[in-house]
Each structure stands twice: as C-alpha cells, then as structure tokens.
Amino acid sequence: MSIKVFITGGAGYVGSALVPRLLKDGYHVTVLDLMIYGEDVIDPHPNLKMVKGDIRDLALLKSLIPGHNQVIHLACISNDPSFELNPDLGKSINLDAFRPLVEISKSSSVERFIYASSSSVYGVKEEPNVTEDFSLEPLTDYSKFKADCEKILAEYQSENFTTVTIRPATVCGYARRQRLDVVVNILTNLAYHKREISVFGGSQLRPNIHIEDMVDAYLLLMTAPKEKVAGEIFNAGYLNFTVSEIANMVKEVVGADVKLITTPTNDNRSYHISSEKIFKKLGFKAERSIIQASKDLKEAFEKGLLKDTLNNEFYFNIKRMQNINLA
C-alpha cells in the first residue's frame, strides 16, 4: 500500500525539494499551497495532486485530508520581516489555523503529524549547546507562535495519532522555489553578483542546514518507528558557525576577488543548537556543508537557473508579500 502524504506549504522552499523526493520514493503526495511564489516549482507527476488553496479554509481541509496517512505542516508566513509586514495575517496563518488543522487531521484518521517549528523558539542563549529541553524564550511573534503551536500539537498526541515537532536551523542551498533572503543564500548571491559581501557584526552564531539534509530529516521522521518519535521534539542543524565564518566560506567558493566589508550592528542575536538528540535517537546527522550549499547556488547562477537574483521578488519573501497584499 502506498503511503499518502498531505503537505501544507509544499510549494515553498523546502517543499519544492521534499515533494520530488517523496514522489521518487513512491509516496502519493497532495500539496496545499497558496502558490504565491509560482505554480511551476514542482514538475507534474501521476502521484502528485497540487491544490491552490488556503490552510484557513476549513471546508477545503475537510475535503482534502481524509485518506492521507501523514501530514507534514510546512505552511507559514516565514521569517520575521514578512510576518511583521502584516501581523494579523501572520497570526491567522501561523497560529489561528493550526489547531483546526490538527483536529481535522486527527479526526480524519491521519496516523502521523509532523510540524515544522523553528530553532528561533529558543531566543538568545549563552550556552554553547542548546538542547530540546531548554526553556523557550522567543523574541518575536513569529517565534512565539511557533512555540505556541508546539504546545497545541502536544495536546493531541495519542496512541493512534503520532505527533512530532522538528526545530530546524536556517535552511540553505538551491531549490526550485529559491529563497535568497536567508543568510548563506544572501551572502552567496551578493558575492557572486556584486563581488562584495557586507557582514553586519560577524561574531553572531547562525546554525544552518543544507536543504537536502532537511529533506532527509523529514523522510526519517516519516519512517521512524512510532515509539521513537511520538510526542518528541528534535533540533536539526549542521555545525554552528559565526556569520564571519560563513562569509569566508562563501568567499572561498565564489572567488578570492570577493570583498568582505564588516560593519557594526546592534542585532546581536546569536543562535546555536545541538543536534545530538536526533542523532542518538534516530541516527540523523546533517552531512552537507555550508560550502556545499554555496557551491550548489553558484552552479545554479552559472547555469542561469535563477533570473535577476538581486531584484526578483519571487526569491525574497518580504518583497513578494508587499506586492501581492495577501489578506
């Protein structure tokens, strides 16, 4: 029997890498997405159903979710600036829509619900290794609502409904639905096209994870024995590097002529997470480096896979959100 997976936000950055992999592995996939970043980010496939729609549409959810074995909830207004552009919209999608989605999933006999939270829920910590049992001190509404949804999801864990939360580091690398507004991708884009990188501060730690490692993590959460993941929360990241270290890696990939300009900043947010639990419990270890992510992007630029990368609103969440005026 083929496993049927329902993915909210499946036409987003991570979804555009995850869905083709699931199809390749024999899954049947339904994607529900507003598709504001393009409707052609995933190639047609006989086992794929693409639905342009809103997770706040409960009638739509009730018509689509029954018959699926698993739900992966990726949909959200992602990153703080996009969220702050319209806080009411952010709350309605990132928080208010969550409980109904979980309830409909459970009542539709979905067996496993995987939630994409964020490592930003920890806030700024001094400790060198931030593990899943640390207190959550989210600094923004975006992060607060991520934390709130984790608590909501925990209420629904039961013998027949396995809930699992993942707190990823910042995803990086090339995907069909590209984002160029996250740190490694920003720096690679600027280095390649402007031959110059501005580093604000530089000593702040930023945990990252290659998009293909992120896909591997989701596949593992889908297939791991229930007793290993039920009600669990997992961090997922590669090694923790400072912004300066990341900038130097990018320079190494793009070219010695790239200039690094460091300017002071009052944004000293520093995140560093431990991914030891997901390794010990599930054997998952992020294998692909930041250098690999930067190389993948450089190759995409060279092949002309990404157009007008300094200005194209489809690569920058906030620009796109401003232009479509989503309500």
Side-chain angles (χ1 to χ4, degrees), residues 230-246:
E232 293 289 352
I233 294 169
F234 297 102
N235 292 339
Y238 184 61
L239 304 173
N240 296 296
F241 291 107
T242 67
V243 176
S244 283
E245 287 170 329
I246 294 168

Side-chain angles (χ1 to χ4, degrees), residues 38-84:
E39 298 186 29
D40 58 349
V41 295
I42 299 167
D43 291 331
H45 189 284
N47 295 340
L48 172 65
K49 181 179 182 182
M50 296 285 286
V51 180
K52 187 175 182 177
D54 196 314
I55 60 165
R56 296 170 293 178
D57 183 342
L58 302 191
L60 183 61
L61 295 179
K62 285 172 184 169
S63 72
L64 289 175
I65 292 177
H68 289 88
N69 308 91
Q70 301 202 15
V71 170
I72 301 176
H73 181 43
L74 303 177
C76 69
I77 302 295
S78 55
N79 81 3
D80 295 328
S82 301
F83 186 97
E84 285 155 16

Side-chain angles (χ1 to χ4, degrees), residues 137-299:
E137 299 174 77
L139 299 175
T140 63
D141 279 348
Y142 167 77
S143 306
K144 280 179 194 143
F145 294 157
K146 285 286 188 190
D148 290 343
C149 289
E150 290 186 14
K151 294 188 192 86
I152 291 167
L153 186 60
E155 295 171 26
Y156 292 86
Q157 163 63 35
S158 68
E159 182 56 34
N160 299 320
F161 188 65
T162 298
T163 67
V164 56
T165 291
I166 190 161
R167 293 174 179 161
T170 302
V171 181
C172 57
Y174 171 72
R176 279 277 290 278
R177 176 345 215 177
Q178 188 61 52
R179 281 187 66 182
L180 294 173
D181 55 1
V182 285
V183 64
V184 173
N185 301 358
I186 292 171
L187 297 179
T188 305
N189 188 27
L190 292 174
Y192 186 85
H193 290 102
K194 290 198 155 181
R195 316 310 292 182
E196 186 174 296
I197 305 176
S198 290
V199 177
F200 297 96
S203 62
Q204 315 95 308
L205 285 163
R206 286 285 183 275
N208 290 272
I209 184 166
H210 191 290
I211 194 161
E212 294 299 334
D213 281 324
M214 196 68 246
V215 168
D216 288 345
Y218 281 116
L219 280 158
L220 193 55
L221 293 181
M222 292 171 68
T223 54
K226 181 167 81 170
E227 61 275 12
K228 288 194 173 183
V229 296
E232 293 289 352
I233 294 169
F234 297 102
N235 292 339
Y238 184 61
L239 304 173
N240 296 296
F241 291 107
T242 67
V243 176
S244 283
E245 287 170 329
I246 294 168
N248 278 293
M249 289 176 199
V250 168
K251 176 176 169 135
E252 185 186 320
V253 168
V254 177
D257 64 309
V258 173
K259 274 201 308 195
L260 295 185
I261 298 164
T262 304
T263 33
T265 180
N266 53 13
D267 177 8
N268 292 311
R269 288 175 305 153
S270 198
Y271 305 112
H272 29 276
I273 57 168
S274 162
S275 299
E276 200 172 320
K277 178 181 172 181
I278 196 169
F279 176 66
K280 281 189 169 166
K281 224 166 176 188
L282 304 178
F284 173 78
K285 190 166 190 277
E287 299 289 354
R288 299 165 182 91
S289 64
I290 285 167
I291 284 177
Q292 185 60 54
S294 190
K295 278 182 179 168
D296 294 345
L297 273 174
K298 179 177 177 245
E299 192 177 305

Side-chain angles (χ1 to χ4, degrees), residues 7 14-23 72 74 215 218-219 222:
I7 306 182
V14 171
S16 72
L18 174 61
V19 171
R21 183 77 171 279
L22 291 176
L23 294 167
I72 301 176
L74 303 177
V215 168
Y218 281 116
L219 280 158
M222 292 171 68

